[in-house]
Amino acid sequence: RDRIEWHGFARRLGKIAACAALVSAGSYFMFPNSWITFGVLHHIIVASVLGLAFLRAGWLNLLAGGLLIAIGVLVQHAAFDTAALNWIGLMTHKPITEDYVPLLPWFGVVLLGIFLGEQIARGNLSWLDRASGPRLLQLMGQHSLLLYMLHQPVFIGLLNLYLMTK
């Protein structure tokens, strides 16, 4: 699109933030020693806000995305091992948590997605339009936050049912 729908953007961000808070609270209740402080939903919030600065960067997103992925994979420093900084992703060891999606390298992947999205919007990758998949996959993509929030309670419930029959 040529413009940002700020109301919709803020509403989406608020929904994701509420779900991230629920995930953190729920994981603290279930796993107090390894609760989720910066998981996939937390990353989506930060990446969505940071991504705004790159919407018009064009081919720079391809370069910056690759560079951020490389930095996130190759660079480590003990200064990032603290709880206050480990969300950035440059720590020397993974923090003890049930879900962890650090800014680096994953924001690099977001930038690659922004680049590809722009290419698709311009018609440069029209073959992807034909490969968009069946209706069920489209529905799942349109309701991905709901599916994400339901999948763990459903899986945990099914696992508990299975274990009770043993």
Side-chain angles (χ1 to χ4, degrees):
R1 295 186 180 165
D2 293 329
R3 62 183 178 82
I4 297 170
E5 295 177 16
W6 291 107
H7 178 73
F9 180 81
R11 192 173 73 234
R12 173 185 165 272
L13 215 57
K15 285 180 186 177
I16 296 170
C19 289
L22 283 171
V23 165
S24 289
S27 68
Y28 184 79
F29 175 72
M30 291 190 70
F31 311 104
N33 295 326
S34 59
W35 63 290
I36 300 168
T37 57
F38 202 82
V40 68
L41 295 177
H42 305 82
H43 179 272
I44 289 171
I45 295 163
V46 173
S48 294
V49 173
L50 290 177
L52 292 172
F54 292 86
L55 290 178
R56 304 270 187 250
W59 285 89
L60 180 62
N61 286 324
L62 183 62
L63 177 65
L67 183 62
L68 291 179
I69 291 170
I71 290 170
V73 170
L74 300 173
V75 175
Q76 297 178 346
H77 195 281
F80 293 93
D81 289 344
T82 67
L85 295 178
N86 66 21
W87 63 274
I88 296 170
L90 301 178
M91 68 284 141
T92 60
H93 63 278
K94 180 185 174 283
I96 299 170
T97 182
E98 298 301 316
D99 184 26
Y100 179 62
V101 182
L103 187 64
L104 301 176
W106 295 108
F107 186 63
V109 176
V110 170
L111 292 181
L112 296 181
I114 292 172
F115 170 77
L116 287 173
E118 182 181 30
Q119 296 304 306
I120 291 168
R122 290 182 178 189
N124 295 341
L125 300 173
S126 60
W127 60 272
L128 284 175
D129 290 338
R130 293 187 298 278
S132 62
R135 182 74 181 128
L136 177 61
L137 289 177
Q138 292 174 0
L139 282 170
M140 291 170 64
Q142 291 168 345
H143 302 285
S144 57
L145 182 58
L146 176 63
L147 291 172
Y148 182 81
M149 291 304 292
L150 291 177
H151 88 280
Q152 287 296 340
V154 168
F155 287 152
I156 291 170
L158 291 173
L159 180 62
N160 282 335
L161 267 170
Y162 171 76
L163 291 175
M164 288 189 312
T165 62
K166 285 281 176 182

